[in-house]
Amino acid sequence: MALRFAERKTVSSSAPAFITRSAEAGRKQASSSSSSSPHFSPKSSKKVTDDRLATVIDAVNDRKLPPELRGQRNNVRSETDIINVVEQRVWHAMEEGQFENLPGKGKPLDLDTNPHADPAEDTLYRILNKNGCAPEWVELNKEIRNSIAGWRIALGRAWMCKDGVDDSKWLEASEALKLQLRDLNNKVFRYNLIVPFGRQMFGFKWEREIDQLNEETQIEN
């Protein structure tokens, strides 16, 4: 009985030593493998990612160019270089007679539909056109141009009252003209919000109008 108890005690006391040796061996193997594997810092990995992203962006931008300019993106200084390539293509096509047998040659163009416009907007514009109406931004454009033309005539008349002796009439008229110009700029702001992209107009500035009036007066004198 005492012998069996001693054997059990020997086995139980030797188990922790075996487990400890196994754990130490595992830690050494992990440390050796981690030391042998390459170490990447966050900065170096971010640089690699940025370089790859820049390469992809360059490749995408290069594919946007005509085939004649691909691989030479650094030599493209402006849009003129691209336009020149397009013009050369057109001239070569004309010399080869590619425009001679186009469908509809010699016939009037069909301007009832615009293939480049949004179908919903195109339908709306055709309905307005048939009823003798125009889009709001077209009417507002006419109103702004007519108003600024009349305003400049009024400015010229008020300018004639400025004689350097008694400028009271000029000061009174200029205040009214400034208020009218502010209302015009509000219309320009509203026009730029509803007009199709690329048709926006600049606002009017009092100082620029006065400078232009001065130049016109000096030329006449």
Side-chain angles (χ1 to χ4, degrees):
M1 188 72 177
L3 181 60
R4 290 180 182 179
F5 178 76
E7 290 178 354
R8 289 179 182 176
K9 185 176 180 181
T10 304
V11 172
S12 62
S13 61
S14 61
F18 173 77
I19 296 174
T20 304
R21 286 195 297 272
S22 300
E24 289 180 356
R27 283 198 297 269
K28 288 181 180 180
Q29 184 178 3
S31 62
S32 61
S33 61
S34 63
S35 60
S36 60
S37 62
H39 177 68
F40 293 99
S41 64
K43 291 183 179 180
S44 61
S45 61
K46 184 177 184 302
K47 185 178 184 302
V48 171
T49 304
D50 292 343
D51 292 342
R52 290 179 179 175
L53 182 60
T55 303
V56 172
I57 293 174
D58 290 341
V60 171
N61 291 333
D62 193 63
R63 290 183 62 85
K64 293 179 181 179
L65 296 174
E68 295 88 341
L69 297 177
R70 289 179 184 173
Q72 308 175 26
R73 194 164 58 86
N74 293 331
N75 297 329
V76 179
R77 293 167 294 180
S78 64
E79 293 182 358
T80 306
D81 297 331
I82 301 177
I83 294 173
N84 291 338
V85 172
V86 175
E87 290 180 349
Q88 289 176 5
R89 286 188 183 182
V90 173
W91 280 109
H92 290 325
M94 292 175 62
E95 292 175 355
E96 295 174 359
Q98 297 183 16
F99 296 130
E100 294 298 326
N101 298 319
L102 293 177
K105 179 182 178 181
K107 299 179 181 179
L109 296 174
D110 183 12
L111 302 178
D112 293 336
T113 58
N114 183 1
H116 305 289
D118 181 75
E121 292 184 357
D122 187 52
T123 303
L124 177 61
Y125 290 157
R126 283 192 285 108
I127 294 174
L128 292 173
N129 187 25
K130 289 181 179 179
N131 290 275
C133 302
E136 182 182 2
W137 62 269
V138 174
E139 298 292 344
L140 189 56
N141 183 287
K142 294 179 180 178
E143 181 182 348
I144 292 172
R145 294 185 182 279
N146 292 333
S147 298
I148 193 60
W151 183 88
R152 284 169 177 163
I153 293 174
L155 177 62
R157 292 174 181 173
W159 187 260
M160 300 297 294
C161 300
K162 187 178 181 182
D163 54 7
V165 179
D166 184 10
D167 293 340
S168 58
K169 292 184 178 180
W170 158 250
L171 294 175
E172 182 180 354
S174 63
E175 291 300 324
L177 289 168
K178 287 179 181 178
L179 292 176
Q180 295 174 10
L181 192 65
R182 185 179 64 183
D183 294 338
L184 273 172
N185 282 325
N186 290 336
K187 291 182 179 179
V188 171
F189 178 76
R190 181 165 169 266
Y191 169 82
N192 289 335
L193 291 177
I194 62 177
V195 72
F197 179 76
R199 296 179 177 268
Q200 285 75 14
M201 65 168 59
F202 291 104
F204 305 104
K205 292 185 178 180
W206 174 261
E207 294 79 7
R208 187 167 54 196
E209 296 293 333
I210 293 297
D211 292 340
Q212 184 177 354
L213 186 60
N214 268 323
E215 292 178 0
E216 294 175 356
T217 304
Q218 292 175 3
I219 292 174
E220 292 176 358
N221 296 334

